Each structure stands twice: as C-alpha cells, then as structure tokens.
Amino acid sequence: MQDLQAIVEGCINHNAKCQKQFYEHFYGYALKVTFRYIYRYDKATDVVNDGFVKIFKNFHRFEYKNVADLEKMVMGWIRRILVNTAIDDLRKNQMLPEIGDLSEQEWNLQDKTGGADNALLYKELIVQLKKLPPSYRAVFNMYVIDGFTHLEIAKQLDISVGTSKSNLSKAREHLKKIVNKEFRQPEVCNL
Amino acid sequence: MQFVNDDMDELFRKAAEDYPLHTKTNDWDKVLEKMKQEESSAANRKKGHAKWLLLLLPLFFICNRFTYVDHDAAVIPNAGGKSAEKRDDGRPQHIMASPNNELAKTGNNRSVGANGDIAGTPIEANTYKANNALTENKYIERKKTRSMPDIAIDDYSSPAATPKPAGDHASAFAIPDVAGADDNSLTKTEISTEPESKETSEEKAPMPPDTPAKQKVSDKTQGKKAKTNINKKGTYAGIIIGPDFSAVRSSKSKGVGYSTGLIAGYNFSNTISLETGIYLDRKRYATNGKNFSIAKFNWPAHTNLLSISGYCDMIEIPLTVRFKQKTGKSAQVFAAAGASSYLMKKEDYQYTTERYGLYYSGNKSYKNSSTHLLPVIHFSAGYERALGRIGNIRIEPYLKLPVDRVGIGNMSLKSKGVYIGMTRSIR
C-alpha cells in the first residue's frame, strides 16, 4: 500500500483510487469492530460499507498533527464512525435480539494474528459476547472495548446513565458466568 | 490455559483486537454505488431548496416597487398661493409668472408661480407683461442651449391664458422679437434659472399628462421627499450580516462562520454615535489540546486531547462607539471600537484523544454552556452611504480580540470578518 499519509490526503480530496486503497486496507479492522455489535455477518458487512460511505463523505473533518501516529488516529476515527453506524442500525431494529446460530464460515481460524493458541479462545469469547441481548452487548462493547463513557453511551443509546451502568453490570455478570462455566480449567494438583 | 477472572475486561479487549474473523468480503463496487446514491439524493435536496427560494422573488419585486422613488415627478404646488417646496437640491422650478397670483398650469399639469418658485407671490399685470416678453426670450435662448421643457409660453402672455399640453403648442410657440431688450428691465420676478445638466436631462423629454393617481404619488413624493442626511440626529435601527472567521489563539481559522442580527443606535452628532445590538453568531474554529481545556469534559483520567474542531452558536451583544467623518453629501467613513458579551448557546466539537497509547475520536455537544460579560474588544472601520428613503448601507471589516476566555474549553477566541448592514433612522 502507498504511504498512508498520501492515501489520507487523497481521500480528503475525494480521489477515488485513494479511497479504494483506504477501504481495502481498513476493511478487515472495520469489520471486526462492527461484528462485535451486529449479530449477523451479512448485516455487519452492509453496516461496514455504510460506515465507509460516511467516512469518505466526512473525510475533510479528519485532522492529524503527527504523521507518526497517523495510522492509530485513523483507526480511532474509523472505530468511532463504525460504532455510531452500528448503534444506529441496532436502534433502527429497536434493539431486538437476533435469532439463529453463527456460521463457522465467518471465522478464520487460520488467522495467526493473535497466535494460534489464543485464536480459538478469542473466537469463543466474541461468540459469547454476541449472544448477549443487543442492549447489553452494545453497552459492554462501548464501555469496555471502545472506551466510551457512560454519559456518551447514554446519549448514543438514548438511555439514562443509570441504565447504562446497570446494563454493563448485567453484561459483565452474564459473561463472567459463561466464561467461568465454559473456560474454567480444573485445578491440577502438582505432586 | 489459566483464566484470570478479575481481569475479564482486559481479556475481552484483547479478544476484540485479535479474534479470527473472515474479512475477505470487501466489495468496493457496493461502496461506490452507495456513495453515488448519496450524492444524487443530496443534489435533489439542494434543488428542492432552490425551488423554495423562487417563492421569494415576488417579495423582491414588491419591495422594489414600494421603495422606487419617481425622480421625474413634478413639483405640484398647492393652489391658492401656498408656498410649495423647492426641489430637493433647493433650485427653483422652471416656471412662468402668472398674473393675479393665480397658479397657471403647464401642459404637464405643473402649477407655476412667480419669483422663480412656486410661491404665489402677487405681481402687477403690466409688470408681468413686460417681464414676460423678456423672460420668454431668455427662456427660448436657454431652451435652445439647454433643452428646457416644452412649456407653452405664449399661453402665459395673457393673464387669462390656460395651459395646454406642451406638444400641442410646439408650432405655436412664437416669441416676439425682443432684441435690444434691456436685462436691467427685468425685475426680481424674472424666472431665475440655473439649469444644470442633470436637471435639463430630467426635463428633456416632455412629460405625459399626469393622471390623478400619478399626481397623488407626486404629491406624496413632494411632500415627503426628505433631504438625504446620513447622520440624522436621533435613534436608528437596522440589520447586519456577514461572514466570520474565528480562531483559537495562534491556530488557523477553520471554516467560515457567520454573524447576523439587529442593531440599534443613537446619533449624537455628525461625528459620534453609540450603537448596540443583538447578533446570532456561528463561529468555527479548530485547535490542538494545548489551547483547549478539558476540565469540564468528564473524561477518564490520563486522557490527552490531541485536536479538537467544531463550532459554537452564540448570541452576541455588542456595545460600540462610532466616530464618523463625512466624505461627501451622502457618504462617510467611520471607525468604531467597543466590546461584546457572549451568550454561548451551543458548542459542538469533534475531537481526537489519546489514552494509554490508544487513539479515540468522538464528538461532543453542549447547550447553554456559558455566558461571558465583555470577553472581547472589537475594532472596525468602514464606509457608509445613504440611499435616500431606504436608509444607509454600510460595509464594515472588523477584528475582535479576546480579553477573557470563553466556552466550555476556556478558549481565547479571536474573530475577524465583515459586516454588511442597513440602517434607518427612527424617531
């Protein structure tokens, strides 16, 4: 890929070639962010594409000072826009829980990103996260993983701060039970 | 594998970054198609707005109709010898003396009187005759050189003469030869003529016979045609609008804001006035974290603000002293200085932060965040011109410098821009 700064500048100037490169480079990252919120994979890809349309439309608002941190800043910006887009989609469906199992084809257990040992573990954790009710899932994702405050979550989801804290607490409790149940290893007595 | 239950959050964060998801499903064509759909729907929305603007066109024509001043309207005096007003510039009308203080009408329904104005000053009949002949001659001479109106002068040789439309008497316009007439014989009742090119050009074309309606309008115009005085003593009010370029400290301006509002003032004299108003401003700016305080943001600890940009909507209440200097009859230049109070109604920001090596972007919006009494001083200079009954129009570049910090981020906000304003005297 070309120098990221050149691509970012090209996107600011609505250069189609740069936009395509940008999309292809950050698509995987964007999908991982969105898939934590949106239950179904095909729906998640649609939301990612909608998110990129918003990104390119508002690229002129992206500012950076230090080129060395550009990639991190871009990823932070993409993350924010995609989370907002995913939340908008969940709210459109009134936070109704989705049904159906997740397909194994959606996972890439050949991915060596986090190490083979952890890949399976991480996959299962995310599966359990996705099985939470949408309102709990959204709050957990936003607070624990994406760094939103309860005030921001409350504003985004149109709930009170108290409800946000309560949902987070319930989500943690739920996940803790599942994690302890599914992944607890029997203690091994060392002789 | 050993789980650490008390660090579940950290575990999920790692899982979120590195979980194995199939990501080769990107489809650029779909994104491109969606972007084109967005553009076409945005274009359709703009067209819709343009259609609504067309509805304002009739309003423009109506305003134009009622502010139109008929410069060609004749000065119609009152019958019965009441003194009529002179022209706006103080020059007397081209008139003929009429006997017995009777105001004879011209072919254009203009009433005439003696003494070069339309005051009905009585004169003696014989004096009238003598003067009239010479005056006629002078009139013709001037007419030839300066294209004066076709007044049927011969009709006024007789006291009982009644005027006829100018066109009818063009051929009957026979002036007796009064060569050798002594100008000294002319009395003060001679028509004083100081025609200027402007006046003659106005009267060059013969006026059509006035209809009663037109005469009414002319009456009104005559009655209410005020002198153009750019600095009428007393109160005035108006509106202003203009672009605004704001910046925080040494940062550059980010985008164009605007300022619009109502002004009210008092002219103490031709040189000084005091003005206030209420403006609705939108100021756009951007800066780095150093020039913006996040103390009121309720962010988690160790959050560093990297950059922030946005806008604020505010109500501005200025207090200004204006020093004026006339440069012409209906124009002046001015310099102004004062201070403004800000009532911040809404602040909307997009920001980038860093916390523990992770970068976040977000947006925040605040309503009614703060009120500041005179946090800026402003200086301006400009040009103002009177437009008759409409009022005065002004153009005023300005500079506003901070003396106190404003907004939720405690910013030193400076602004520059241009005001374009219309004011009108109210008494």
Side-chain angles (χ1 to χ4, degrees):
Chain A
M1 194 181 79
Q2 265 182 354
D3 176 33
L4 179 62
Q5 187 182 9
I7 290 173
V8 166
E9 291 295 332
C11 290
I12 291 171
N13 295 323
H14 300 285
N15 181 308
K17 190 180 168 188
C18 292
Q19 286 175 337
K20 186 179 177 188
Q21 281 186 302
F22 185 91
Y23 170 76
E24 286 169 352
H25 183 71
F26 288 107
Y27 178 84
Y29 169 74
L31 186 58
K32 278 187 173 180
V33 170
T34 310
F35 195 56
R36 288 188 276 111
Y37 290 84
I38 306 295
Y39 188 78
R40 289 184 49 187
Y41 186 88
D42 51 351
K43 194 80 181 293
T45 57
D46 281 342
V47 171
V48 166
N49 289 338
D50 288 341
F52 271 102
V53 169
K54 278 188 196 174
I55 286 169
F56 293 133
K57 193 177 164 186
N58 293 294
F59 225 115
H60 59 280
R61 299 172 90 174
F62 176 73
E63 287 181 351
Y64 61 97
K65 300 278 179 185
N66 191 357
V67 178
D69 298 326
L70 179 59
E71 183 159 18
K72 286 183 182 173
M73 292 175 71
V74 166
M75 288 168 75
W77 188 58
I78 290 172
R79 183 210 295 253
R80 177 61 63 133
I81 291 178
L82 284 165
V83 167
N84 290 344
T85 312
I87 296 295
D88 287 344
D89 188 79
L90 287 173
R91 289 187 66 187
K92 220 187 292 181
N93 295 324
Q94 292 160 350
M95 294 285 192
L96 292 172
E98 300 93 340
I99 52 173
D101 290 328
L102 296 165
S103 166
E104 285 302 316
Q105 290 172 347
E106 294 158 4
W107 307 100
N108 180 17
L109 289 166
Q110 305 302 321
D111 184 4
K112 306 290 179 194
T113 316
D117 294 340
N118 294 329
L120 201 58
L121 169 65
Y122 293 160
K123 176 214 162 192
E124 288 305 320
L125 287 172
I126 295 299
V127 166
Q128 296 306 322
L129 176 61
K130 286 172 73 64
K131 285 182 177 175
L132 286 174
S135 48
Y136 295 1
R137 187 197 318 152
V139 173
F140 186 88
N141 270 304
M142 289 176 86
Y143 187 85
V144 172
I145 300 172
D146 293 315
F148 285 73
T149 62
H150 282 297
L151 198 60
E152 287 170 320
I153 294 169
K155 193 181 169 189
Q156 187 76 0
L157 299 179
D158 198 23
I159 56 176
S160 67
V161 170
T163 305
S164 172
K165 289 179 179 174
S166 164
N167 285 353
L168 176 66
S169 169
K170 287 175 187 170
R172 274 188 171 137
E173 204 179 304
H174 190 88
L175 285 170
K176 205 178 270 187
K177 273 185 197 169
I178 291 172
V179 164
N180 285 340
K181 183 183 167 188
E182 297 285 330
F183 302 112
R184 189 188 302 161
Q185 295 294 317
E187 287 179 8
V188 175
C189 289
N190 290 324
L191 296 173
Chain B
M1 264 184 312
Q2 196 74 33
F3 276 97
V4 182
N5 289 334
D6 58 354
D7 209 10
M8 194 178 68
D9 289 356
E10 188 56 35
L11 185 62
F12 273 93
R13 279 191 212 108
K14 284 182 184 171
E17 275 187 43
D18 293 333
Y19 72 97
L21 184 68
H22 179 53
T23 58
K24 301 293 180 190
T25 50
N26 49 326
D27 190 342
W28 172 245
D29 292 333
K30 270 189 185 173
V31 175
L32 207 56
E33 197 184 318
K34 285 190 183 192
M35 280 166 63
K36 283 178 184 170
Q37 279 174 5
E38 283 269 322
E39 279 170 21
S40 64
S41 61
N44 287 339
R45 275 197 298 272
K46 277 185 185 172
K47 279 183 192 169
H49 293 148
K51 282 179 191 169
W52 282 106
L53 285 174
L54 285 174
L55 291 175
L56 293 175
L57 269 179
L59 188 65
F60 167 76
F61 287 117
I62 291 167
C63 290
N64 200 31
R65 171 71 183 85
F66 283 108
T67 55
Y68 173 70
V69 174
D70 184 7
H71 291 289
D72 292 332
V75 175
I76 306 296
N78 295 319
K82 289 182 186 176
S83 61
E85 293 180 15
K86 295 187 180 182
R87 292 174 186 273
D88 280 354
D89 51 11
R91 286 177 284 114
Q93 287 284 337
H94 284 288
I95 53 158
M96 293 302 297
S98 73
N100 301 327
N101 202 28
E102 186 180 336
L103 298 174
K105 292 187 178 178
T106 65
N108 296 327
N109 255 359
R110 293 182 192 178
S111 297
V112 297
N115 287 341
D117 65 332
I118 312 195
T121 306
I123 53 171
E124 297 292 334
N126 52 353
T127 312
Y128 167 78
K129 270 187 184 173
N131 293 337
N132 201 28
L134 294 167
T135 309
E136 284 172 2
N137 194 36
K138 276 191 177 290
Y139 182 85
I140 291 164
E141 289 301 315
R142 289 184 188 118
K143 182 179 182 298
K144 281 177 185 172
T145 56
R146 297 180 186 120
S147 304
M148 298 169 92
D150 290 324
I151 298 174
I153 296 176
D154 59 331
D155 284 335
Y156 298 111
S157 59
S158 160
T162 54
K164 291 176 189 176
D168 294 349
H169 294 272
S171 56
F173 188 67
I175 306 299
D177 185 11
V178 288
D182 187 355
D183 282 349
N184 292 331
S185 66
L186 294 172
T187 68
K188 288 180 185 175
T189 57
E190 178 192 354
I191 297 167
S192 66
T193 53
E194 295 172 359
E196 294 177 4
S197 58
K198 187 182 175 184
E199 181 184 320
T200 54
S201 64
E202 282 178 357
E203 296 181 340
K204 199 168 184 176
M207 297 258 307
D210 278 345
T211 61
K214 192 172 180 180
Q215 185 164 347
K216 262 191 187 174
V217 170
S218 303
D219 276 331
K220 278 188 184 174
T221 309
Q222 173 56 34
K224 294 186 180 178
K225 206 167 187 178
K227 290 181 185 178
T228 303
N229 185 358
I230 198 167
N231 283 321
K232 285 183 193 171
K233 193 174 178 181
T235 48
Y236 62 89
I239 53 170
I240 58 103
I241 192 165
D244 177 278
F245 303 90
S246 291
V248 179
R249 275 268 176 108
S250 53
S251 308
K252 288 184 183 175
S253 293
K254 167 85 175 169
V256 183
Y258 60 79
S259 192
T260 181
L262 304 171
I263 48 179
Y266 190 87
N267 276 327
F268 290 98
S269 67
N270 281 340
T271 54
I272 193 162
S273 63
L274 185 66
E275 195 172 284
T276 185
I278 184 159
Y279 302 165
L280 296 175
D281 296 343
R282 173 167 284 196
K283 295 187 185 288
R284 296 184 183 273
Y285 41 84
T287 186
N288 57 34
K290 290 177 193 170
N291 299 323
F292 196 98
S293 166
I294 60 170
K296 297 177 187 172
F297 271 48
N298 287 335
W299 277 339
H302 308 125
T303 301
N304 300 317
L305 176 66
L306 298 178
S307 66
I308 191 162
S309 68
Y311 67 87
C312 70
D313 290 337
M314 64 166 73
I315 294 174
E316 180 181 350
I317 302 174
L319 192 62
T320 313
V321 176
R322 281 154 46 88
F323 305 94
K324 302 167 283 187
Q325 178 66 45
K326 281 185 109 171
T327 56
K329 200 162 196 174
S330 54
Q332 66 185 7
V333 292
F334 61 87
S340 289
S341 296
Y342 285 168
L343 283 68
M344 315 285 274
K345 304 308 288 178
K346 181 182 176 186
E347 293 178 70
D348 191 283
Y349 298 114
Q350 284 212 315
Y351 56 83
T352 304
T353 60
E354 178 269 333
R355 185 168 181 255
Y356 301 138
L358 283 176
Y359 290 79
Y360 300 93
S361 294
N363 58 279
K364 272 187 179 291
S365 190
Y366 299 90
K367 290 192 176 173
N368 298 318
S369 54
S370 51
T371 299
H372 306 277
L373 183 64
L374 306 177
V376 292
I377 51 174
H378 49 83
F379 306 95
S380 63
Y383 175 80
E384 190 171 7
R385 186 169 185 86
L387 297 180
R389 288 177 61 201
I390 297 171
N392 297 349
I393 189 165
R394 67 164 81 155
I395 183 160
E396 184 181 356
Y398 64 83
L399 178 65
K400 294 180 186 175
L401 299 173
V403 293
D404 197 1
R405 293 169 183 267
V406 299
I408 197 124
N410 264 357
M411 310 169 285
S412 287
L413 190 64
K414 60 185 178 190
S415 305
K416 60 185 177 187
V418 178
Y419 289 138
I420 298 166
M422 284 282 295
T423 59
R424 198 184 161 107
S425 172
I426 48 171
R427 295 192 187 194

